[in-house]
Amino acid sequence: MKEENATSIEFFRAFRRVADLINGVIFHGKQIVRECDLQEQNPVLHDISKKDNRVSAVENTLDLSVMVTVGKAKFLLMLQGQTIEHYVMPVRASHERGTDYYNQWKKLQKMHNEARDLMKGEEYLSGVKKRDRFYPVIHIVVYFGKKRWKAARKMDDLFLTEIFPEELKKLFTEKPLLIFEMRHFSNEEWFQTDLRQVCGFLKRTNDRMKLKTYIEENQEVFSNLPEDAYDFLTVMAGIRNLRLIKQEVQSKGGGFDMCKAIKEMLRVSRQEGEQEGRLEGRQEGRLEGRQEGRLEGRQEGRLEGQDEMATLSEKLILADRISELLKASTNREYRNKLLVEFGLA
């Protein structure tokens, strides 16, 4: 989990991809946000409280926090990566947005207190002026899991909504979280950066031949992937061999040739498969040989046992010991004793 989280943060620290993510997921491919419109913020949220003249703070670290400018407007984007479903993600997202809104309020309040420009009454009570405005906070969950996201997307998914009257339902119904399911996104053509090829790659990891074909069709991008993209795909796809041959496929320009890596991986897989096949064949051959040997041994043992019993019966009849013949046929211990007596064992 730590490795997945670290590589995803590193991948999205390239702001061209964050801008591309916003344009693809929110604006459906329209090029609204540019890389230069983004400014990284401190990802650590402080939930500050005071008690008995003591100040305490609880830290909550986001994967990525970015201030986005769209024309004259600004909003804060909180980016959260998930490799598995989080059943109470709406609670977590609400808490993180609420913490940031609270901190915006306290920052405004501190500014006005220092300026001593608040009027008595409503302004003094609120700690802000009526004209003050907050910037909105948007949460995008980037989900890398193989399964579709079926967990809650909004707070009312966590309520027993069916037991409430319609009038009440309308009061607590909210918009769902924006969850970008990377392996299941159906409009990867909306992306303009290598985010498009990364989505296409992950969508095809269950079929290596389809993956190989897709990489060949996008050879220009995959033949010179940035290291953060190569590492991201290697970790998220869970293909161990790609990690082992990373240095062997580094290109002269400093990128990494995923086309070469996949071909090498398939070649190694075939060799391993052939080797496993040969080993299995040898093992099966040995097993068959053992089984045949056991069958032959059983058959020979039965024949030898029949010969011994026939000879013993003959000797007992000639010695007029007929009563002992019946006992020998049903009692193995007594039969073995007679075999030793007559020198047949």
Short mmCIF file of all heavy atoms in Angstrom, two decimals, residues 174-223:
data_model
loop_
_atom_site.label_atom_id
_atom_site.label_comp_id
_atom_site.label_asym_id
_atom_site.label_seq_id
_atom_site.Cartn_x
_atom_site.Cartn_y
_atom_site.Cartn_z
N GLU A 174 -27.02 14.98 -1.18
CA GLU A 174 -25.91 15.80 -1.67
C GLU A 174 -25.33 15.20 -2.95
O GLU A 174 -25.65 14.07 -3.32
CB GLU A 174 -24.81 15.91 -0.61
CG GLU A 174 -24.21 14.56 -0.23
CD GLU A 174 -23.08 14.70 0.79
OE1 GLU A 174 -23.17 15.58 1.66
OE2 GLU A 174 -22.12 13.92 0.70
N LYS A 175 -24.50 15.98 -3.61
CA LYS A 175 -23.86 15.50 -4.84
C LYS A 175 -22.80 14.47 -4.50
O LYS A 175 -22.12 14.57 -3.47
CB LYS A 175 -23.25 16.67 -5.61
CG LYS A 175 -24.28 17.60 -6.23
CD LYS A 175 -23.62 18.66 -7.10
CE LYS A 175 -24.66 19.54 -7.75
NZ LYS A 175 -24.06 20.59 -8.61
N PRO A 176 -22.64 13.47 -5.37
CA PRO A 176 -21.65 12.42 -5.08
C PRO A 176 -20.22 12.91 -5.25
O PRO A 176 -19.95 13.89 -5.95
CB PRO A 176 -21.98 11.32 -6.10
CG PRO A 176 -22.64 12.05 -7.22
CD PRO A 176 -23.38 13.19 -6.60
N LEU A 177 -19.31 12.22 -4.60
CA LEU A 177 -17.88 12.48 -4.76
C LEU A 177 -17.47 12.21 -6.21
O LEU A 177 -18.04 11.35 -6.89
CB LEU A 177 -17.07 11.55 -3.86
CG LEU A 177 -16.80 11.97 -2.43
CD1 LEU A 177 -16.14 10.82 -1.68
CD2 LEU A 177 -15.92 13.20 -2.37
N LEU A 178 -16.47 12.92 -6.66
CA LEU A 178 -15.92 12.69 -7.99
C LEU A 178 -14.88 11.59 -7.88
O LEU A 178 -13.78 11.80 -7.34
CB LEU A 178 -15.29 13.98 -8.52
CG LEU A 178 -15.02 14.07 -10.01
CD1 LEU A 178 -16.26 13.73 -10.83
CD2 LEU A 178 -14.54 15.47 -10.37
N ILE A 179 -15.22 10.39 -8.34
CA ILE A 179 -14.32 9.24 -8.24
C ILE A 179 -13.87 8.85 -9.64
O ILE A 179 -14.68 8.43 -10.47
CB ILE A 179 -14.99 8.06 -7.52
CG1 ILE A 179 -15.35 8.46 -6.09
CG2 ILE A 179 -14.07 6.84 -7.51
CD1 ILE A 179 -16.08 7.40 -5.30
N PHE A 180 -12.59 9.03 -9.90
CA PHE A 180 -12.00 8.70 -11.19
C PHE A 180 -11.47 7.27 -11.13
O PHE A 180 -10.43 7.00 -10.55
CB PHE A 180 -10.88 9.69 -11.52
CG PHE A 180 -10.05 9.33 -12.71
CD1 PHE A 180 -10.63 8.93 -13.90
CD2 PHE A 180 -8.67 9.40 -12.65
CE1 PHE A 180 -9.86 8.60 -15.00
CE2 PHE A 180 -7.88 9.07 -13.74
CZ PHE A 180 -8.49 8.67 -14.92
N GLU A 181 -12.22 6.33 -11.74
CA GLU A 181 -11.82 4.92 -11.75
C GLU A 181 -10.88 4.70 -12.94
O GLU A 181 -11.32 4.46 -14.07
CB GLU A 181 -13.05 4.02 -11.85
CG GLU A 181 -13.98 4.16 -10.66
CD GLU A 181 -15.15 3.18 -10.74
OE1 GLU A 181 -14.92 1.97 -10.55
OE2 GLU A 181 -16.27 3.64 -11.00
N MET A 182 -9.61 4.75 -12.69
CA MET A 182 -8.62 4.78 -13.76
C MET A 182 -8.68 3.56 -14.67
O MET A 182 -8.51 3.68 -15.89
CB MET A 182 -7.21 4.90 -13.16
CG MET A 182 -6.12 5.09 -14.20
SD MET A 182 -4.51 5.50 -13.46
CE MET A 182 -4.68 7.26 -13.25
N ARG A 183 -8.96 2.38 -14.11
CA ARG A 183 -8.99 1.15 -14.92
C ARG A 183 -10.31 0.98 -15.68
O ARG A 183 -10.42 0.08 -16.51
CB ARG A 183 -8.79 -0.08 -14.02
CG ARG A 183 -7.40 -0.20 -13.42
CD ARG A 183 -7.34 -1.40 -12.49
NE ARG A 183 -6.07 -1.52 -11.81
CZ ARG A 183 -5.05 -2.27 -12.22
NH1 ARG A 183 -5.16 -2.97 -13.33
NH2 ARG A 183 -3.92 -2.32 -11.53
N HIS A 184 -11.28 1.82 -15.39
CA HIS A 184 -12.61 1.65 -15.99
C HIS A 184 -13.12 2.92 -16.66
O HIS A 184 -14.29 2.98 -17.03
CB HIS A 184 -13.60 1.19 -14.91
CG HIS A 184 -13.18 -0.05 -14.19
ND1 HIS A 184 -13.32 -1.31 -14.72
CD2 HIS A 184 -12.59 -0.21 -12.98
CE1 HIS A 184 -12.85 -2.20 -13.86
NE2 HIS A 184 -12.40 -1.56 -12.80
N PHE A 185 -12.24 3.90 -16.84
CA PHE A 185 -12.65 5.16 -17.46
C PHE A 185 -12.84 4.93 -18.96
O PHE A 185 -11.92 4.49 -19.66
CB PHE A 185 -11.60 6.23 -17.21
CG PHE A 185 -12.04 7.62 -17.55
CD1 PHE A 185 -13.02 8.25 -16.81
CD2 PHE A 185 -11.47 8.30 -18.62
CE1 PHE A 185 -13.42 9.54 -17.12
CE2 PHE A 185 -11.87 9.58 -18.93
CZ PHE A 185 -12.84 10.21 -18.18
N SER A 186 -14.02 5.20 -19.45
CA SER A 186 -14.37 4.84 -20.83
C SER A 186 -13.99 5.89 -21.87
O SER A 186 -14.12 5.65 -23.07
CB SER A 186 -15.87 4.55 -20.94
OG SER A 186 -16.63 5.66 -20.50
N ASN A 187 -13.53 7.06 -21.42
CA ASN A 187 -13.21 8.14 -22.36
C ASN A 187 -11.77 8.60 -22.20
O ASN A 187 -11.49 9.79 -22.01
CB ASN A 187 -14.17 9.32 -22.16
CG ASN A 187 -15.61 8.95 -22.43
OD1 ASN A 187 -16.40 8.78 -21.51
ND2 ASN A 187 -15.97 8.82 -23.69
N GLU A 188 -10.85 7.68 -22.32
CA GLU A 188 -9.44 8.02 -22.16
C GLU A 188 -8.96 9.00 -23.23
O GLU A 188 -7.94 9.69 -23.05
CB GLU A 188 -8.58 6.76 -22.18
CG GLU A 188 -8.69 5.95 -23.46
CD GLU A 188 -8.28 4.50 -23.27
OE1 GLU A 188 -8.90 3.81 -22.45
OE2 GLU A 188 -7.35 4.08 -23.98
N GLU A 189 -9.70 9.11 -24.35
CA GLU A 189 -9.32 10.05 -25.42
C GLU A 189 -9.49 11.50 -24.97
O GLU A 189 -9.02 12.43 -25.65
CB GLU A 189 -10.15 9.79 -26.68
CG GLU A 189 -11.62 10.14 -26.59
CD GLU A 189 -12.48 9.07 -25.93
OE1 GLU A 189 -11.92 8.04 -25.50
OE2 GLU A 189 -13.71 9.27 -25.88
N TRP A 190 -10.15 11.74 -23.85
CA TRP A 190 -10.29 13.10 -23.33
C TRP A 190 -8.98 13.64 -22.77
O TRP A 190 -8.85 14.83 -22.54
CB TRP A 190 -11.37 13.14 -22.25
CG TRP A 190 -12.77 13.00 -22.77
CD1 TRP A 190 -13.18 13.10 -24.08
CD2 TRP A 190 -13.96 12.77 -22.01
NE1 TRP A 190 -14.54 12.93 -24.18
CE2 TRP A 190 -15.05 12.73 -22.92
CE3 TRP A 190 -14.22 12.58 -20.65
CZ2 TRP A 190 -16.36 12.50 -22.52
CZ3 TRP A 190 -15.53 12.36 -20.25
CH2 TRP A 190 -16.59 12.32 -21.18
N PHE A 191 -8.04 12.74 -22.51
CA PHE A 191 -6.75 13.16 -21.95
C PHE A 191 -5.76 13.47 -23.07
O PHE A 191 -5.75 12.81 -24.12
CB PHE A 191 -6.19 12.09 -21.03
CG PHE A 191 -7.08 11.77 -19.85
CD1 PHE A 191 -7.49 10.46 -19.61
CD2 PHE A 191 -7.52 12.76 -19.00
CE1 PHE A 191 -8.32 10.17 -18.54
CE2 PHE A 191 -8.34 12.48 -17.92
CZ PHE A 191 -8.74 11.18 -17.69
N GLN A 192 -4.88 14.44 -22.82
CA GLN A 192 -3.91 14.88 -23.82
C GLN A 192 -2.47 14.50 -23.46
O GLN A 192 -1.60 14.53 -24.31
CB GLN A 192 -4.00 16.40 -23.99
CG GLN A 192 -5.39 16.90 -24.36
CD GLN A 192 -5.86 16.37 -25.70
OE1 GLN A 192 -5.11 16.35 -26.67
NE2 GLN A 192 -7.12 15.93 -25.75
N THR A 193 -2.21 14.15 -22.20
CA THR A 193 -0.87 13.76 -21.78
C THR A 193 -0.76 12.24 -21.75
O THR A 193 -1.67 11.53 -22.20
CB THR A 193 -0.56 14.32 -20.38
OG1 THR A 193 -1.42 13.67 -19.41
CG2 THR A 193 -0.79 15.82 -20.31
N ASP A 194 0.34 11.73 -21.20
CA ASP A 194 0.51 10.28 -21.09
C ASP A 194 -0.47 9.65 -20.11
O ASP A 194 -0.51 8.43 -19.96
CB ASP A 194 1.95 9.91 -20.71
CG ASP A 194 2.42 10.58 -19.42
OD1 ASP A 194 1.62 11.26 -18.76
OD2 ASP A 194 3.61 10.42 -19.08
N LEU A 195 -1.31 10.48 -19.47
CA LEU A 195 -2.39 9.94 -18.64
C LEU A 195 -3.32 9.08 -19.47
O LEU A 195 -3.89 8.09 -18.98
CB LEU A 195 -3.16 11.10 -17.99
CG LEU A 195 -4.24 10.75 -16.97
CD1 LEU A 195 -3.67 9.93 -15.82
CD2 LEU A 195 -4.91 12.02 -16.43
N ARG A 196 -3.48 9.43 -20.76
CA ARG A 196 -4.32 8.63 -21.66
C ARG A 196 -3.74 7.22 -21.81
O ARG A 196 -4.46 6.22 -21.67
CB ARG A 196 -4.38 9.28 -23.04
CG ARG A 196 -5.14 8.46 -24.06
CD ARG A 196 -4.99 9.01 -25.47
NE ARG A 196 -5.61 10.33 -25.60
CZ ARG A 196 -5.74 10.96 -26.75
NH1 ARG A 196 -5.26 10.42 -27.88
NH2 ARG A 196 -6.32 12.15 -26.80
N GLN A 197 -2.44 7.12 -22.08
CA GLN A 197 -1.81 5.80 -22.27
C GLN A 197 -1.74 5.01 -20.97
O GLN A 197 -1.84 3.78 -20.97
CB GLN A 197 -0.41 5.97 -22.87
CG GLN A 197 -0.39 6.33 -24.34
CD GLN A 197 -0.74 7.79 -24.61
OE1 GLN A 197 -0.56 8.65 -23.75
NE2 GLN A 197 -1.25 8.06 -25.80
N VAL A 198 -1.57 5.72 -19.86
CA VAL A 198 -1.54 5.04 -18.56
C VAL A 198 -2.89 4.37 -18.28
O VAL A 198 -2.96 3.22 -17.85
CB VAL A 198 -1.19 6.04 -17.44
CG1 VAL A 198 -1.50 5.46 -16.07
CG2 VAL A 198 0.28 6.40 -17.51
N CYS A 199 -3.98 5.08 -18.55
CA CYS A 199 -5.32 4.49 -18.38
C CYS A 199 -5.49 3.30 -19.30
O CYS A 199 -5.98 2.24 -18.89
CB CYS A 199 -6.40 5.53 -18.68
SG CYS A 199 -6.59 6.79 -17.42
N GLY A 200 -5.10 3.46 -20.58
CA GLY A 200 -5.23 2.37 -21.54
C GLY A 200 -4.42 1.16 -21.14
O GLY A 200 -4.86 0.01 -21.32
N PHE A 201 -3.24 1.38 -20.60
CA PHE A 201 -2.37 0.29 -20.14
C PHE A 201 -3.03 -0.50 -19.02
O PHE A 201 -3.15 -1.73 -19.08
CB PHE A 201 -1.04 0.88 -19.67
CG PHE A 201 0.01 -0.13 -19.28
CD1 PHE A 201 1.06 -0.42 -20.13
CD2 PHE A 201 -0.04 -0.78 -18.04
CE1 PHE A 201 2.04 -1.34 -19.77
CE2 PHE A 201 0.92 -1.70 -17.67
CZ PHE A 201 1.98 -1.97 -18.54
N LEU A 202 -3.49 0.23 -17.98
CA LEU A 202 -4.07 -0.44 -16.82
C LEU A 202 -5.37 -1.18 -17.16
O LEU A 202 -5.67 -2.20 -16.56
CB LEU A 202 -4.33 0.58 -15.70
CG LEU A 202 -3.08 1.18 -15.04
CD1 LEU A 202 -3.46 2.23 -14.02
CD2 LEU A 202 -2.24 0.09 -14.40
N LYS A 203 -6.12 -0.66 -18.12
CA LYS A 203 -7.37 -1.31 -18.53
C LYS A 203 -7.12 -2.65 -19.21
O LYS A 203 -8.01 -3.49 -19.27
CB LYS A 203 -8.14 -0.40 -19.49
CG LYS A 203 -8.81 0.77 -18.81
CD LYS A 203 -9.30 1.80 -19.79
CE LYS A 203 -10.43 1.29 -20.65
NZ LYS A 203 -11.00 2.36 -21.51
N ARG A 204 -5.89 -2.87 -19.71
CA ARG A 204 -5.59 -4.08 -20.48
C ARG A 204 -4.64 -5.03 -19.77
O ARG A 204 -4.15 -5.98 -20.37
CB ARG A 204 -5.01 -3.67 -21.83
CG ARG A 204 -6.03 -2.96 -22.73
CD ARG A 204 -5.35 -2.25 -23.89
NE ARG A 204 -6.32 -1.65 -24.80
CZ ARG A 204 -6.91 -0.47 -24.61
NH1 ARG A 204 -6.64 0.24 -23.51
NH2 ARG A 204 -7.78 -0.01 -25.48
N THR A 205 -4.37 -4.80 -18.50
CA THR A 205 -3.40 -5.64 -17.80
C THR A 205 -3.86 -7.08 -17.58
O THR A 205 -3.04 -7.95 -17.31
CB THR A 205 -3.04 -5.03 -16.42
OG1 THR A 205 -4.25 -4.72 -15.71
CG2 THR A 205 -2.22 -3.78 -16.59
N ASN A 206 -5.15 -7.34 -17.70
CA ASN A 206 -5.64 -8.71 -17.53
C ASN A 206 -5.39 -9.58 -18.76
O ASN A 206 -5.54 -10.80 -18.71
CB ASN A 206 -7.14 -8.71 -17.21
CG ASN A 206 -7.42 -8.19 -15.81
OD1 ASN A 206 -6.57 -8.27 -14.94
ND2 ASN A 206 -8.59 -7.65 -15.60
N ASP A 207 -5.03 -8.96 -19.89
CA ASP A 207 -4.77 -9.70 -21.12
C ASP A 207 -3.46 -9.20 -21.70
O ASP A 207 -3.39 -8.13 -22.31
CB ASP A 207 -5.92 -9.48 -22.12
CG ASP A 207 -5.82 -10.40 -23.33
OD1 ASP A 207 -4.68 -10.67 -23.77
OD2 ASP A 207 -6.86 -10.84 -23.83
N ARG A 208 -2.40 -9.96 -21.52
CA ARG A 208 -1.07 -9.49 -21.89
C ARG A 208 -0.90 -9.31 -23.40
O ARG A 208 -0.13 -8.45 -23.84
CB ARG A 208 0.00 -10.44 -21.35
CG ARG A 208 0.09 -10.39 -19.82
CD ARG A 208 1.35 -11.01 -19.30
NE ARG A 208 1.42 -10.86 -17.84
CZ ARG A 208 2.47 -11.24 -17.11
NH1 ARG A 208 3.52 -11.79 -17.69
NH2 ARG A 208 2.47 -11.07 -15.81
N MET A 209 -1.60 -10.09 -24.20
CA MET A 209 -1.49 -9.93 -25.64
C MET A 209 -2.18 -8.63 -26.09
O MET A 209 -1.68 -7.91 -26.95
CB MET A 209 -2.09 -11.14 -26.36
CG MET A 209 -1.31 -12.43 -26.12
SD MET A 209 0.49 -12.24 -26.34
CE MET A 209 0.59 -11.80 -28.08
N LYS A 210 -3.34 -8.31 -25.49
CA LYS A 210 -4.01 -7.05 -25.79
C LYS A 210 -3.14 -5.88 -25.32
O LYS A 210 -3.08 -4.84 -25.97
CB LYS A 210 -5.38 -6.99 -25.10
CG LYS A 210 -6.44 -7.83 -25.76
CD LYS A 210 -7.80 -7.62 -25.08
CE LYS A 210 -8.89 -8.45 -25.78
NZ LYS A 210 -10.20 -8.24 -25.12
N LEU A 211 -2.49 -6.08 -24.19
CA LEU A 211 -1.60 -5.05 -23.65
C LEU A 211 -0.44 -4.81 -24.61
O LEU A 211 -0.08 -3.67 -24.91
CB LEU A 211 -1.09 -5.47 -22.28
CG LEU A 211 -0.13 -4.51 -21.58
CD1 LEU A 211 -0.79 -3.16 -21.33
CD2 LEU A 211 0.36 -5.10 -20.26
N LYS A 212 0.14 -5.89 -25.11
CA LYS A 212 1.26 -5.79 -26.06
C LYS A 212 0.83 -5.05 -27.32
O LYS A 212 1.53 -4.16 -27.82
CB LYS A 212 1.75 -7.20 -26.41
CG LYS A 212 2.92 -7.23 -27.39
CD LYS A 212 3.40 -8.67 -27.57
CE LYS A 212 4.54 -8.74 -28.59
NZ LYS A 212 4.07 -8.45 -29.96
N THR A 213 -0.37 -5.38 -27.84
CA THR A 213 -0.88 -4.71 -29.04
C THR A 213 -1.10 -3.22 -28.78
O THR A 213 -0.76 -2.38 -29.63
CB THR A 213 -2.20 -5.36 -29.48
OG1 THR A 213 -1.98 -6.75 -29.74
CG2 THR A 213 -2.75 -4.70 -30.73
N TYR A 214 -1.68 -2.89 -27.62
CA TYR A 214 -1.95 -1.50 -27.29
C TYR A 214 -0.65 -0.70 -27.20
O TYR A 214 -0.58 0.44 -27.67
CB TYR A 214 -2.71 -1.41 -25.97
CG TYR A 214 -3.04 0.00 -25.55
CD1 TYR A 214 -4.05 0.71 -26.18
CD2 TYR A 214 -2.32 0.63 -24.53
CE1 TYR A 214 -4.35 2.02 -25.80
CE2 TYR A 214 -2.62 1.93 -24.15
CZ TYR A 214 -3.63 2.62 -24.79
OH TYR A 214 -3.91 3.91 -24.42
N ILE A 215 0.37 -1.30 -26.60
CA ILE A 215 1.65 -0.61 -26.47
C ILE A 215 2.28 -0.37 -27.84
O ILE A 215 2.84 0.70 -28.11
CB ILE A 215 2.60 -1.43 -25.57
CG1 ILE A 215 2.09 -1.38 -24.12
CG2 ILE A 215 4.02 -0.90 -25.63
CD1 ILE A 215 2.85 -2.27 -23.18
N GLU A 216 2.16 -1.35 -28.73
CA GLU A 216 2.69 -1.19 -30.08
C GLU A 216 1.95 -0.10 -30.84
O GLU A 216 2.55 0.65 -31.61
CB GLU A 216 2.60 -2.52 -30.84
CG GLU A 216 3.57 -3.57 -30.31
CD GLU A 216 3.35 -4.94 -30.93
OE1 GLU A 216 2.31 -5.12 -31.62
OE2 GLU A 216 4.20 -5.83 -30.73
N GLU A 217 0.63 0.02 -30.61
CA GLU A 217 -0.16 1.06 -31.27
C GLU A 217 0.18 2.46 -30.75
O GLU A 217 -0.04 3.46 -31.45
CB GLU A 217 -1.65 0.79 -31.06
CG GLU A 217 -2.16 -0.45 -31.80
CD GLU A 217 -3.59 -0.81 -31.42
OE1 GLU A 217 -4.13 -0.20 -30.46
OE2 GLU A 217 -4.16 -1.68 -32.08
N ASN A 218 0.70 2.52 -29.52
CA ASN A 218 1.09 3.80 -28.92
C ASN A 218 2.60 3.83 -28.67
O ASN A 218 3.08 4.34 -27.65
CB ASN A 218 0.33 4.01 -27.61
CG ASN A 218 -1.16 4.18 -27.82
OD1 ASN A 218 -1.66 5.29 -27.98
ND2 ASN A 218 -1.89 3.07 -27.81
N GLN A 219 3.33 3.31 -29.63
CA GLN A 219 4.77 3.13 -29.49
C GLN A 219 5.51 4.44 -29.22
O GLN A 219 6.47 4.48 -28.46
CB GLN A 219 5.34 2.46 -30.73
CG GLN A 219 6.81 2.07 -30.61
CD GLN A 219 7.27 1.23 -31.77
OE1 GLN A 219 6.51 0.90 -32.65
NE2 GLN A 219 8.55 0.88 -31.76
N GLU A 220 5.06 5.51 -29.83
CA GLU A 220 5.76 6.79 -29.69
C GLU A 220 5.82 7.22 -28.23
O GLU A 220 6.84 7.76 -27.77
CB GLU A 220 5.05 7.86 -30.52
CG GLU A 220 5.77 9.20 -30.51
CD GLU A 220 5.09 10.23 -31.39
OE1 GLU A 220 4.15 9.87 -32.13
OE2 GLU A 220 5.50 11.41 -31.33
N VAL A 221 4.74 6.99 -27.49
CA VAL A 221 4.70 7.36 -26.07
C VAL A 221 5.42 6.33 -25.22
O VAL A 221 6.27 6.66 -24.38
CB VAL A 221 3.24 7.52 -25.58
CG1 VAL A 221 3.20 7.77 -24.08
CG2 VAL A 221 2.56 8.67 -26.32
N PHE A 222 5.11 5.04 -25.45
CA PHE A 222 5.62 3.99 -24.58
C PHE A 222 7.11 3.71 -24.78
O PHE A 222 7.75 3.12 -23.91
CB PHE A 222 4.83 2.70 -24.79
CG PHE A 222 3.49 2.70 -24.12
CD1 PHE A 222 2.32 2.70 -24.86
CD2 PHE A 222 3.38 2.72 -22.75
CE1 PHE A 222 1.08 2.70 -24.25
CE2 PHE A 222 2.14 2.73 -22.11
CZ PHE A 222 0.99 2.72 -22.87
N SER A 223 7.67 4.12 -25.91
CA SER A 223 9.09 3.85 -26.15
C SER A 223 10.00 4.80 -25.38
O SER A 223 11.21 4.60 -25.31
CB SER A 223 9.41 3.93 -27.65
OG SER A 223 9.13 5.24 -28.13
#
